[in-house]
Amino acid sequence: MRLSYFLFMCIGALTYGQSVNLPQNVKDFAEILPKGYVSLHALKEDINGDGKKDLVMVMGVEKYEYIEGTGLEYEEVWKIDFEKQYRVLAIYLRNKKGSYDLFTWSDKFILTRYSPAQSEPLEEVYFTKKGVLVFKYYKFMTMGSWGVSSETLRFRYRDHKMELIGYDYGEGSRATATFDKYSVNYLTGKYKIHGEEVIDEDDTVVVPEQLSWHNFKINRLYRLEEVQSNGGFSYDMLRFWE
């Protein structure tokens, strides 16, 4: 079972993503979208700190087919065409003429759904007052699993690159109410492990809260183009503590 899952994940990682032809220069969001793609998230923020608003867009191809005959009258099941679950991130910087030039893009970065029973993983894409571009995910299954997980990635523009400066990962179970969090700061070379307190129905502490800090070595910061998901499932490459 574990071998089959491993092979499935490896094949997904190799095949996930689709080569798209993005325009090198656009006047607005509408000109970015390749044929057949829709906008999932769009931001207009000053990414590079030059005082001009830039464009950030997450786009995807999502096709759904409704199927009946599940044996349960109240249950609606959607069959997802996973081979067409491509998602693309594109960032355009505003130039002196007022249009936008393609700065960076990736078709292997944004996470997607990998099961009809999975919730939409991408919760938010936003830009903070401190100049940080944030991608926030939350994943759970509506059937077949009690597990939940979350991932948050933080990027900052520096020296003509979008660099990963922070990564948060959490995993737990809705059945046991347990949840462990890992928070990595690539600027300081430190990461935190936080195990949340678990109490029972009588307010008795079953599992005490645990918190620890650790150091790690880093030679340089990851560029956005280097951060690739494992077939659209998760950012396994960032979880060095496992």
Side-chain angles (χ1 to χ4, degrees):
M1 180 71 177
R2 289 180 61 87
L3 178 60
S4 300
Y5 176 76
F6 174 76
L7 292 174
F8 173 74
M9 294 288 282
C10 289
I11 293 172
L14 292 173
T15 58
Y16 180 67
Q18 180 186 39
S19 179
V20 295
N21 294 317
L22 294 176
Q24 295 298 308
N25 178 270
V26 298
K27 295 180 180 178
D28 210 337
F29 286 113
E31 296 184 4
I32 298 176
L33 288 170
K35 183 178 180 180
Y37 279 73
V38 296
S39 174
L40 304 178
H41 292 269
L43 303 178
K44 202 167 188 176
E45 300 285 354
D46 182 10
I47 299 298
N48 59 353
D50 64 354
K52 298 188 288 287
K53 294 292 183 71
D54 308 304
L55 307 182
V56 178
M57 176 176 277
V58 176
M59 59 199 106
V61 174
E62 300 191 4
K63 295 185 177 181
Y64 300 90
E65 177 187 354
Y66 179 68
I67 56 175
E68 298 179 352
T70 62
L72 298 174
E73 294 181 356
Y74 61 86
E75 185 177 20
E76 294 183 356
V77 178
W78 291 87
K79 178 182 178 183
I80 302 175
D81 187 351
F82 294 106
E83 293 183 358
K84 294 182 173 61
Q85 287 291 297
Y86 305 119
R87 293 187 172 183
V88 176
L89 167 68
I91 299 177
Y92 285 77
L93 302 182
R94 188 169 182 176
N95 57 36
K96 294 180 180 180
K97 296 181 180 179
S99 60
Y100 303 87
D101 297 323
L102 180 61
F103 170 59
T104 187
W105 72 282
S106 176
D107 62 350
K108 294 179 173 62
F109 173 68
I110 300 295
L111 302 188
T112 186
R113 293 176 67 186
Y114 57 84
S115 166
Q118 186 198 6
S119 64
E120 164 57 51
L122 184 56
E123 272 196 333
E124 292 183 89
V125 180
Y126 61 93
F127 194 70
T128 72
K129 293 181 180 179
K130 294 184 177 181
V132 179
L133 181 61
V134 182
F135 299 87
K136 185 176 181 181
Y137 299 92
Y138 182 74
K139 295 173 285 183
F140 70 93
M141 306 292 287
T142 57
M143 64 179 76
S145 173
W146 288 98
V148 295
S149 65
S150 63
E151 295 186 79
T152 301
L153 296 88
R154 299 176 180 86
F155 293 86
R156 179 179 289 164
Y157 178 94
R158 188 182 71 163
D159 297 334
H160 306 288
K161 301 184 294 291
M162 293 299 296
E163 295 179 326
L164 181 68
I165 63 171
Y167 173 63
D168 297 339
Y169 175 76
E171 60 182 357
S173 170
R174 288 174 289 173
T176 60
T178 57
F179 202 79
D180 295 324
K181 298 177 181 178
Y182 304 81
S183 183
V184 181
N185 188 324
Y186 291 97
L187 297 177
T188 63
K190 295 180 182 294
Y191 70 99
K192 177 178 65 173
I193 301 178
H194 180 204
E196 293 187 348
E197 180 182 78
V198 178
I199 59 176
D200 61 15
E201 296 178 352
D202 299 323
D203 292 333
T204 302
V205 176
V206 179
V207 179
E209 180 183 31
Q210 298 181 9
L211 181 64
S212 61
W213 288 88
H214 307 267
N215 297 319
F216 68 98
K217 293 183 179 180
I218 181 170
N219 295 322
R220 64 174 180 83
L221 299 179
Y222 285 117
R223 300 192 309 273
L224 188 148
E225 308 89 68
E226 296 175 320
V227 181
Q228 298 186 2
S229 63
N230 185 18
F233 306 108
S234 182
Y235 298 102
D236 292 356
M237 63 174 286
L238 300 180
R239 297 203 290 277
F240 55 82
W241 58 82
E242 295 183 343

